[in-house]
Structure formats: C-alpha cells, structure tokens
Amino acid sequence: MAPASRTEFPDPVLVTTTADLNAVTARLRREPFITIDTEFVRERTYWPELCLVQLAGADEVVVVDALAPGMDLSSLGELLADENVIKVFHAARQDLEIFLHLFDRLPQPLFDTQVAAMVAGYGDQVGYDNLVSSLLGAQIDKSHRFSDWAARPLSPAQISYAAADVTYLRDVYLRLVAQLEREGRQDWMTAEMDVLNSPATFRPDPETLWERMRPRTSNRRMLGMLRAIAAWREREAQRVNVPRQRLVKDESLMEIAATGPGDVDGLARVRGISRGFAEGRSGQGLLEAIAVARREPDASLPRPPKGRGKDTPRPSAALVAMLKVLLAACCERHRVAPKLVASADDIDRLALEDAPEIPALQGWRREVFGTQALALKAGELTLGVENGAIRLIRA
C-alpha cells in the first residue's frame, strides 16, 4: 500500500454568488489541472438537475451552489473549455452528461481516474473511496452518500463530504499519472479516454435504443415497430423531462410492438398504460409513431442485432469458460482490469467467429489478450497450472 497522503487540504468554501464563482474560475484557469465532481438529483427527471459543483486547485477547494438564486455558471463553462487546464474526474460519465447538456460541449482536456485505475490494474470500475484507501491510505466518510442535494440549506457536514470528493482526487491523479508513465501505459489511457471525449457517448441515437432492450424475436415487422416507439419514447422523455422508464416501461413497449394498438382503447389495454396517458398528448404521439411504423416498407425494417435472433447459434459454454480463464490469466499477468480488455459479448463472438471485429482484437488489447485467444482457439496454446497460477503453454 502506498504511504498515506500528507496533503493538508484547505477548508472548503461555499460559493453562492456569480461574482464569487467568476473570481474562483479566474484563479483556477491558472492551474495545470483541477479536480471536479458534481452532486445532482435525477430520480424524477430525464435531465440531471445539477445541485453542486466541487472544484479543487492546489490551494483552494470550493463547493459551488448551482441552485443559488441568480447563479450564472457561464464562467464555469469557460473554465471547463480551457484547453490549458486538465480536468480530472472520477467516474466521469454522469458529470460529463450534465456539463454537455449545460454548455453543449464536453470539458477538455479530460482525465478519469476510474479509467486510469482500470488501466493500472486496480480492478473493474473501482470506487473512489477504495482507490483513495489503496493509493493514499486514507478513508472517505460516506455518511452523506444519500443526501438530498437539492434541499437547502446545506449543512457543514454535507459541504465537507462533497469537498472530499475533489481534495483526495488531486493526490490520486498524481499517483496514477506517475504509475502510467512508469509502466508505459499512457497510450492505453489515451485510447480509453476517446470514448469519454465523444459527445455521441452521451447523446445516443434514439433510432438505435431499441437494441438495448434485447428483443427475443426475429420478426422484422415487430422490430421495426419497437425501433419506432423506442425512438418516440426517448424524444418524448426529453421533451417532458421525465425518466424514460417512468414515461413508458420497457415491458409496455415490448407489448405495444407485438400488438400494435391503433386507437386509444387499444393503447389503454396495454399493461402499464393508463387511460389518462393514452388520451393525453403523449398517448397521441405514441399512436402516431405506431401508425408510421405500420407503413414502413419491408426493405427498411431492421434485422435482429447480431447474436440476438432466436436462430442465432450459441457459443460452446466450455470454450467460453476457457476464454474467460485465459482473459483472467492475461489480465493478471499484465495487471489490468479484465472488464477493460474484453466484454462478455467479445468473449461470445471470439468463441463463435474466426476473426470478429471486436475491441479485444485491436490495439493494446490484442497484445494483452486477443492474440492468445486466437492461439487458444487454433490449438496453438493450452492452459496449465504452475505454482498455483495459470500458465500459458505454447503447443
């Protein structure tokens, strides 16, 4: 374990005015890097409601009250866009979604310590508190993890809790950067950050969201209906700002795709759909989407996603198990998180196909695992046990 951090953190300052925020961001734009976190609520909305933004530089820690009356976050947007300041997050996806929605662009440049920890071998999606403990020997107080961050006033304990998410993060970042440099894995990190640097990661195409529902059918007409109504749901959820599952649940969409109700009465008979919804503006919009889907030409209907149709061959369970053991052994040898190297879908496709186009057979992943996986399938590699560990044996 790394020695405990000796950093003395300044007391956090609560920022509640635009003028104070402008002064803070002006100072932070002179820093080589800053650490950032957010607190938000989204249980009842499609778009996250930003409540707090925590920022830390070398000499100050601030907690910005995004809900303070008259608060203008424009200078924060300018800070996040400043290419001369590295923005350091931990598990950045939800934070980035918020900032992209607020400012219509992603913070640049980015560094995600959770991704870096996976590249450096600290496990799959390691939590912030566990990473702080592993690298710094410090403990994070998580007693306010489930606070209602939209409630005011904020208590001193809440402010201190929120600030801890960016104070220790500075030392975590420095330790991880040093380790990645020592081990020559900067290129690995850059490749992984490409996903977070793309706005498309946070703005999924409504026309492809039906695939996430994993429909168990090869009926292209039903799949076309599902595609249309899932796309409608996504756009409607954004319009009325409610979670997509609260608007219409997946199970209800699947039933609608199968039955294709053509009027209010038919829609209201679908499980999970109330008559009030069916008669309202959203229900009318859904019925229009159904009607459009019915008229779609056969040639433009979607095909089952690869590996999802009822007639799709299944990989050998034994081969899948062997590939998973090989993945674990390769990742243990290279000290990198298995989840970062190959997904379950990658393993299935490796078992079924000779040379699938998957991330596990590209770039550094191929070096760590992909080449060995192909050799195992070709009978050129076997697995053995030596001194309690898996050994790769070339045939």
Side-chain angles (χ1 to χ4, degrees):
M1 178 182 293
S5 170
R6 302 301 183 191
T7 303
E8 293 295 329
F9 301 126
D11 291 333
V13 174
L14 182 64
V15 173
T16 59
T17 69
T18 300
D20 286 345
L21 175 61
N22 293 346
V24 166
T25 56
R27 291 192 298 271
L28 292 179
R29 290 182 71 172
R30 297 194 288 267
E31 301 268 1
F33 75 92
I34 59 172
T35 53
I36 310 176
D37 191 37
T38 65
E39 304 296 346
F40 56 89
V41 293
R42 71 177 310 171
E43 287 79 9
R44 297 178 296 275
T45 60
Y46 180 94
W47 304 109
E49 181 183 11
L50 181 61
C51 300
L52 300 178
V53 181
Q54 303 97 285
L55 303 167
D59 301 311
E60 64 179 319
V61 182
V62 300
V63 176
V64 180
D65 185 354
L67 300 181
M71 177 63 77
D72 182 350
L73 297 175
S74 298
S75 68
L76 174 63
E78 295 167 2
L79 170 64
L80 296 179
D82 191 331
E83 296 278 352
N84 295 314
V85 184
I86 298 172
K87 271 65 75 170
V88 179
F89 297 83
H90 182 83
R93 283 180 177 260
Q94 294 193 86
D95 305 314
L96 297 179
E97 180 188 5
I98 290 170
F99 291 135
L100 180 61
H101 180 59
L102 279 178
F103 304 119
D104 200 33
R105 63 178 295 175
L106 290 170
Q108 292 292 334
L110 289 174
F111 188 98
D112 188 329
T113 56
Q114 185 178 71
V115 174
M118 293 170 73
V119 172
Y122 287 93
D124 290 337
Q125 296 182 319
V126 60
Y128 177 62
D129 46 347
N130 289 333
L131 194 57
V132 168
S133 176
S134 297
L135 287 174
L136 309 179
Q139 300 298 319
I140 300 293
D141 177 10
K142 305 304 288 184
S143 57
H144 291 276
R145 184 193 299 263
F146 301 109
S147 281
D148 179 359
W149 295 107
R152 296 294 182 272
L154 296 166
S155 69
Q158 284 179 303
I159 296 169
S160 295
Y161 166 87
D165 284 341
V166 291
T167 48
Y168 291 104
L169 190 55
R170 291 185 61 84
D171 286 337
V172 167
Y173 166 71
L174 292 172
R175 298 285 183 97
L176 287 173
V177 166
Q179 181 172 339
L180 294 177
E181 289 178 351
R182 283 196 310 271
E183 297 176 355
R185 297 190 178 185
Q186 301 97 316
D187 290 344
W188 296 18
M189 181 65 182
T190 299
E192 295 317 299
M193 289 302 297
D194 284 346
V195 174
L196 295 182
N197 281 309
S198 171
T201 300
F202 309 96
R203 291 173 173 167
D205 180 1
E207 300 296 329
T208 64
L209 289 178
W210 66 277
E211 297 178 4
R212 298 184 183 180
M213 298 171 65
R214 306 181 73 86
R216 295 181 177 275
T217 179
S218 298
N219 185 318
R220 294 181 62 197
R221 179 59 58 183
M222 180 177 171
L223 293 177
M225 182 70 72
L226 184 61
R227 177 175 66 182
I229 61 179
W232 167 84
R233 180 181 67 174
E234 191 69 10
R235 296 186 177 103
E236 183 70 359
Q238 293 176 3
R239 183 186 72 81
V240 298
N241 196 23
V242 299
R244 63 177 71 91
Q245 292 288 341
R246 180 167 292 194
L247 182 68
V248 181
K249 292 186 180 298
D250 284 354
E251 295 83 357
S252 298
L253 283 189
M254 293 295 294
E255 184 176 341
I256 292 168
T259 61
D263 55 27
V264 169
D265 289 340
L267 184 58
R269 285 195 292 270
V270 173
R271 181 174 48 186
I273 300 293
S274 68
R275 174 159 286 278
F277 176 93
E279 293 175 343
R281 176 176 174 180
S282 292
Q284 291 304 305
L286 177 52
L287 287 170
E288 290 170 10
I290 294 169
V292 170
R294 278 207 200 91
R295 298 192 296 269
E296 188 169 6
D298 289 347
S300 63
L301 293 173
R303 297 187 180 278
K306 199 162 190 176
R308 301 277 181 85
K310 63 181 181 180
D311 299 324
T312 300
R314 305 304 304 165
S316 160
L319 180 54
V320 167
M322 288 186 66
L323 287 168
K324 287 181 178 179
V325 172
L326 176 64
L327 174 64
C330 290
C331 291
E332 184 176 87
R333 177 182 178 186
H334 289 273
R335 293 187 299 104
V336 62
K339 187 171 184 177
L340 199 63
V341 177
S343 67
D345 184 61
D346 287 348
I347 296 294
D348 284 350
R349 291 189 60 187
L350 271 169
L352 276 172
E353 304 172 40
D354 291 335
E357 294 184 5
I358 55 175
L361 292 181
Q362 300 170 10
W364 65 269
R365 291 178 175 84
R366 186 182 184 99
E367 177 185 343
V368 169
F369 168 68
T371 298
Q372 288 77 11
L374 294 176
L376 180 70
K377 283 188 61 181
E380 299 167 357
L381 182 74
T382 59
L383 303 179
V385 178
E386 183 176 318
N387 298 325
I390 297 294
R391 179 188 174 196
L392 311 186
I393 306 169
R394 286 283 171 180

